[in-house]
């Protein structure tokens, strides 16, 4: 699953840029949603700050993000939800070029409905956050591998 974003802020102060984009998948008509990705702050702002309303044009920078489609979401009734939260330094935010493909990566997958695992930002060039919630006490081993 991939999509592109374009946005700008109204400020150059990075602490004022706390925008957040969350992507969720559902297989039961939106009865429950499983969060698959979180993109935050300056990783969403990919154009220069402007006090005018930002509108993408031919010279606009678009950033593409990709989310693996786990086997539990490879059904004919999957829904995708984008949830965007603006902040003090926000300007307009655009999502475009949403694509779904069925390529297989050939690796074992855990069921995110049971693990509530979120790793963000993804992709990352420096630091990542790993959020993991267990429904009951258990010993856990985490291994992160760059495929």
């Amino acid at each position: 699953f991939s999509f592109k974003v374009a946005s700008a802020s109204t400020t150059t102060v990075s602490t004022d840029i706390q925008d957040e984009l969350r992507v969720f998948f559902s297989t039961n008509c939106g009865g429950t949603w499983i969060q698959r990705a979180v993109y935050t702050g300056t990783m969403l702002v990919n154009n220069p700050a402007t006090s005018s309303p930002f509108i993408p044009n031919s010279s606009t920078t678009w950033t593409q993000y990709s989310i693996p489609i786990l086997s539990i979401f490879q059904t004919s009734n999957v829904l995708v939800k984008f949830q965007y939260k603006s902040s003090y330094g926000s300007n307009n935010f655009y999502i475009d070029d949403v694509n779904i493909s069925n390529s297989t990566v050939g690796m074992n997958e855990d069921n995110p409905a049971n693990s509530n695992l979120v790793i963000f930002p993804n992709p990352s060039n420096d630091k990542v956050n790993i959020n993991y919630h267990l429904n009951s006490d258990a010993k856990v081993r985490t291994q992160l591998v760059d495929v």
Side-chain angles (χ1 to χ4, degrees):
F1 177 79
S2 66
F3 58 96
K4 293 181 180 178
V5 301
S7 68
S9 67
T10 59
T11 179
T12 57
V13 180
S14 60
T15 56
D16 287 343
I17 303 170
Q18 297 185 16
D19 299 33
E20 185 176 272
L21 175 66
R22 294 177 182 267
V23 182
F24 300 86
F25 285 20
S26 175
T27 56
N28 61 2
C29 294
T32 57
W33 292 94
I34 298 173
Q35 182 175 288
R36 292 291 296 128
V38 178
Y39 307 97
T40 59
T42 56
M43 72 183 305
L44 290 175
V45 177
N46 52 3
N47 287 277
T50 178
S51 58
S52 301
F54 171 71
I55 300 172
N57 59 39
S58 61
S59 64
T60 298
T61 299
W62 290 86
T63 301
Q64 181 169 321
Y65 294 108
S66 297
I67 302 170
I69 302 174
L70 302 177
S71 58
I72 64 166
F73 299 119
Q74 294 178 12
T75 67
S76 61
N77 63 341
V78 68
L79 298 176
V80 178
K81 174 172 72 171
F82 293 96
Q83 183 181 62
Y84 180 74
K85 183 174 81 174
S86 63
S87 65
Y88 174 76
S90 296
N91 201 319
N92 293 337
F93 178 81
Y94 295 84
I95 297 175
D96 196 6
D97 201 15
V98 177
N99 289 284
I100 299 173
S101 70
N102 62 353
S103 61
T104 305
V105 295
M107 53 190 285
N108 294 333
E109 304 167 344
D110 289 329
N111 183 343
N114 296 331
S115 65
N116 296 317
L117 173 67
V118 179
I119 301 172
F120 63 94
N122 182 15
S124 175
N125 293 324
D126 187 17
K127 299 176 184 174
V128 297
N129 296 298
I130 300 175
N131 289 344
Y132 190 77
H133 174 75
L134 293 173
N135 294 327
S136 61
D137 290 344
K139 291 185 180 183
V140 176
R141 184 183 82 140
T142 303
Q143 180 179 10
L144 182 62
V145 178
D146 183 351
V147 178

